[in-house]
Amino acid sequence: MAGFGLLFGSAAHAQSIPFSSNELYPEGLAYHSADKTFFVSSIHHGRIGRVDRRGAYRPFVEDEALVSSLGLAVDDTRNRLLVCVADPGVSTRTNAATQGKLAKLAIYDLKTGKRTALVDLGGLSEGGHFANDVAVAPDGTAYVTDSFSPQVWQVTPEGKASVLVRNDQFTGEGFNLNGIVYHPAGYLLLAKSNDGKLFKLDPRHPEHLETVATPALLGADGLVLNNRNELLIIQNGTGKITRLSSADQWGTATVQATTASEKTFPTTGTWAQDHYYVLNAKLNEIFDPKAPRTSDFLIQQVPSDGQPTGRAGQSSSHGQSR
């Protein structure tokens, strides 16, 4: 996509990792530091795959329970891969009983890919449901956003699920709550897609919801928090990737820089080896019945300091761009 002026660096010289898998249409991205590979989900096939630094894709989990797999989280401490499961209507496993209603959290062994738990979330309350993204606290509690009902779920390390909070501020048309991250200071940051709001929520006091004062970030999807208290917000509707910082524990936030995704419809991201990585998922194709299906996708590297770094497999000879 074109037309974005303020860039972190030249997209043509980012250490991006192209990969391909037949009509995969990935949505979630997580990094496994132990073997330096990325996990990617699939909104179309449900399977979980792994992508190495050379762009080689290989399946990791094939599970009939995964109608569409979405947000991912790696919990190295407990050797777990957590996967949001929903049915947006474009999966090879879509059916009338689950479309717009299914919400589960699947948990797998990081080494073997064996499923260790499948936690039902949608059954906790009435209405439509869509388990979109997940964040894990240091104690192992998982927090999951619901895009179709105004709530956030929590799941204990033992697999007990409950509704952490319901709040009318999470309501709206279309996709509502989306990306979520856990801040080391003990609170959650949550993005709301349709109006671009960013929320701060202390899970110990969920009745006290704060709105972060920041420009509207329409189409906000995945969030990535790095170890320098910077927050990346990935906006799939506009193709923007926006970097924020805060000097007051995310009461307010300031835009530091914005760049564009290299391909259409960026969704989620991760922090690995001092760089942001953003999944260019091209989901616009699968949600448009008239669009041709393709199989090439991209894990785009976005430096946090504004420096271009060179595409994987190529050298960068251009000067810095700010």
Side-chain angles (χ1 to χ4, degrees), residues 34-311:
D35 60 9
K36 297 181 174 58
T37 61
F38 297 89
F39 288 106
V40 294
S41 63
S42 173
I43 204 168
H44 190 205
H45 298 301
R47 77 172 63 96
I48 308 299
R50 304 181 86 152
V51 179
D52 66 21
R53 292 271 176 176
R54 299 169 298 169
Y57 173 91
R58 66 184 189 276
F60 179 64
V61 172
E62 294 276 9
D63 186 346
E64 290 291 328
L66 299 178
V67 177
S68 284
S69 56
L70 292 108
L72 305 174
V74 167
D75 181 5
D76 283 307
T77 302
R78 296 162 190 83
N79 190 42
R80 303 187 301 169
L81 175 66
L82 293 85
V83 181
C84 292
V85 185
D87 184 359
V90 292
S91 170
T92 56
R93 299 186 176 116
T94 289
N95 65 79
T98 59
Q99 185 173 348
K101 305 169 188 174
L102 177 68
K104 293 185 179 182
L105 183 68
I107 302 174
Y108 300 90
D109 185 288
L110 266 179
K111 296 178 182 177
T112 66
K114 180 182 178 180
R115 192 214 295 165
T116 58
L118 184 63
V119 182
D120 180 43
L121 303 173
L124 295 174
S125 59
E126 296 181 353
H129 298 292
F130 191 94
N132 199 319
D133 202 7
V134 56
V136 182
D139 68 357
T141 302
Y143 300 96
V144 180
T145 54
D146 187 347
S147 295
F148 289 173
S149 288
Q151 61 188 6
V152 177
W153 295 288
Q154 66 177 2
V155 180
T156 68
E158 296 75 32
K160 182 179 179 181
S162 61
V163 175
L164 172 67
V165 61
R166 287 182 64 92
N167 194 300
D168 288 343
Q169 293 186 68
F170 300 152
T171 61
E173 296 294 326
F175 277 78
N176 295 293
L177 283 184
N178 205 318
I180 184 171
V181 291
Y182 183 89
H183 193 283
Y187 51 82
L188 301 165
L189 294 172
L190 308 98
K192 188 179 174 197
S193 287
N194 56 0
D195 60 14
K197 289 183 178 179
L198 185 66
F199 296 103
K200 176 181 176 180
L201 177 69
D202 185 338
R204 297 163 295 187
H205 304 284
E207 68 278 8
H208 300 307
L209 179 69
E210 300 178 44
T211 301
V212 180
T214 188
L217 299 157
L218 296 177
D221 194 333
L223 303 180
V224 186
L225 184 71
N226 74 5
N227 54 13
R228 295 191 287 274
N229 198 41
E230 294 177 339
L231 183 70
L232 203 71
I233 299 189
I234 300 154
Q235 299 167 253
N236 55 42
T238 61
K240 287 183 179 180
I241 303 166
T242 301
R243 177 161 52 93
L244 302 178
S245 65
S246 176
D248 60 0
Q249 286 292 327
W250 296 97
T252 64
T254 303
V255 175
Q256 297 297 313
T258 303
T259 192
S261 60
E262 294 188 43
K263 293 183 182 292
T264 58
F265 215 107
T267 52
T268 55
T270 190
W271 176 253
Q273 298 185 328
D274 291 325
H275 290 287
Y276 294 109
Y277 288 87
V278 173
L279 182 61
N280 289 202
K282 300 166 61 178
L283 297 188
N284 53 296
E285 295 178 357
I286 198 166
F287 283 106
D288 180 357
K290 297 180 180 179
R293 300 286 176 85
T294 57
S295 301
D296 59 301
F297 308 99
L298 189 72
I299 300 172
Q300 177 181 347
Q301 188 187 89
V302 180
S304 65
D305 59 1
Q307 305 293 327
T309 56
R311 176 184 275 274

